[in-house]
Amino acid sequence: MNASAPTRPGDAEGLEGIVATRTALSDVDGHAGRLILCGQELIDFVTGHDFESAAATFWATARGESAEASEVVRAALGRAREAGFERFERLIPAFEGLDVSERLRLGLASIAEDGPSVPHVAVTGAIPVLVANLARLEQGRAPMRPQAGSAHVDDFLRMLEGCAPSEPAVKALTTYLLTVMDHGLNASTFTARVVASTRAGLVGAVTGAYAALTGPLHGGAPEPVLDMLDAVGEPGHAAEWIESQLHEGERLMGFGHRIYKVRDPRADVLKAALEQLAPAGERLELARAVERAALEALARHKPGRRLETNVEFYTAMLLDGLGMPRSLFTPLFAMGRVVGWTAHALEQRRTGRLIRPASLYVGERPGS
Ligand code: ACO
C-alpha cells in the first residue's frame, strides 16, 4: 500500500478526495462550480461543437492526436448506426421480459470488440439506434432504420419520432448530450477505466460503465425528479411537500453532489436550454418553485452541507420538455456520456496502469 494512502476505515470511504488517475479530458472544480472539457469551458464546448466534432475532440484528446474532421466522424458513426440496426433486429427475441434499461445493457454487451467499426465508434453509434428503437418497440411501432448520411442527433430523433426533427429539438438535445459528455472520474467513468486498465475491450468497459450509471445515486435520478414534481403538483405546495420529505429522512432527487459544493454549472446550461425550448410553461414555473423550496429547506435541515441543484434536476425538465418517455432518461444520458467513457478507456489504455487499489481488512484473523 502507498505510504500516503489512508489506512483507517472512513478515511476515504467512497474514495472521496483520492486522485486515482491523470486525464486531459475533463476537470471538475467543485468549489468554483467550473467544468472544463478538453481544455474548453463547458459553455464554450457546448456552443462550439455539434455531436460529431465533440466526439472527435474527446477521442483525439484521449489518443494524444489531432481531431479527425467532423465529416469523417459523421460517416463512421453513420456506418456504426447501420451495423447497430442489423444487430437490433436479431436481438428482439432476447429482449423478452427485460425493461428498456436492461435491453440497452444487453444491446451494448452484444457488440463485438473486433467488428467492422472500431469499438469506440461502434458503441457510440449503437446507442441511439437501440434507444430509439427500444422506445418504438415499447410503443408497439415497427423498428426504424437509421440514415447513415444524417447527423447523429438528427438521425436519433428521426428514428424515435418517425419524422424529421425540429431544429429547436435537435439544438436542445445536442446541448444536453454535450453537457453530460464527460465529468471527471465519476462512478461510471471510473468503472470504464478499471475495465480498460485490465486490457479488456472497450465494449466491456462501456457495458460495465452503463451498469454503474443506472444506479439512483448516479444517473438514475431524473425519473424520480419528475415523480417529485408530479407529487408536488403545483407551485404553492412545494414548501410543504419538501418539508415533509426531509422530515421523513428522504433525499430530494436532483440536489446534492459528491464534488460540487456550489451550484453544478451544468444545471445552468440545461436551464438556459430549457428556457429556450419552452419559455413559459407551467412545468417550468413548478420546477422553479420546487428548486427554491428545496434549496431553502436543505440549507435549514443540513446546515454546513452545501447541498445545491445538480445536473439531474434540469436534465429531467429538459428531457420531459422534449417529450422523452421517462424510461429513456438514463439511456439518453448514456448516449452523451458514452463519448466520455470511450475516451477515458482509450486514454487509460494509452497512459494508465492496471487499477488495483488496496483494501483494509476488518475481519477476524485466525488465532487472534
Ligand atoms: N436530499 C436530502 N439530503 C441530502 C441529499 C439530498 N438530495 N444529498 C445529501 N444529503 C444529506 C445526506 O443525508 C447526509 O446527511 P447526514 O450527514 O445528516 O447524514 C449529507 O447530506 C451528506 O450526504 P452524503 O451521502 O455523504 O453525500 P454524497 O456526497 O455521498 O452524496 C449524492 C452525493 C449521492 C448525489 C447525494 O447528494 C444524493 O443522494 N442526492 C440525491 C440523488 C441525486 O440527485 N443523484 C444524482 C447525482 S448527479 C449525477 O450523478 C450525475
Side-chain angles (χ1 to χ4, degrees), residues 216-218 221 246 250-258 298 302 305 307 310-312 333:
L217 299 190
H218 189 7
L246 291 178
E250 296 290 335
R251 290 192 176 204
L252 302 177
M253 291 294 142
F255 297 90
H257 198 275
R258 173 61 62 82
L298 285 169
K302 304 281 174 187
R305 288 292 188 192
L307 299 168
N310 68 41
V311 67
E312 303 285 12
F333 193 112

Side-chain angles (χ1 to χ4, degrees), residues 239-257:
E240 187 191 335
W241 190 89
I242 297 278
E243 200 59 41
S244 72
Q245 291 296 296
L246 291 178
H247 200 71
E248 286 166 25
E250 296 290 335
R251 290 192 176 204
L252 302 177
M253 291 294 142
F255 297 90
H257 198 275

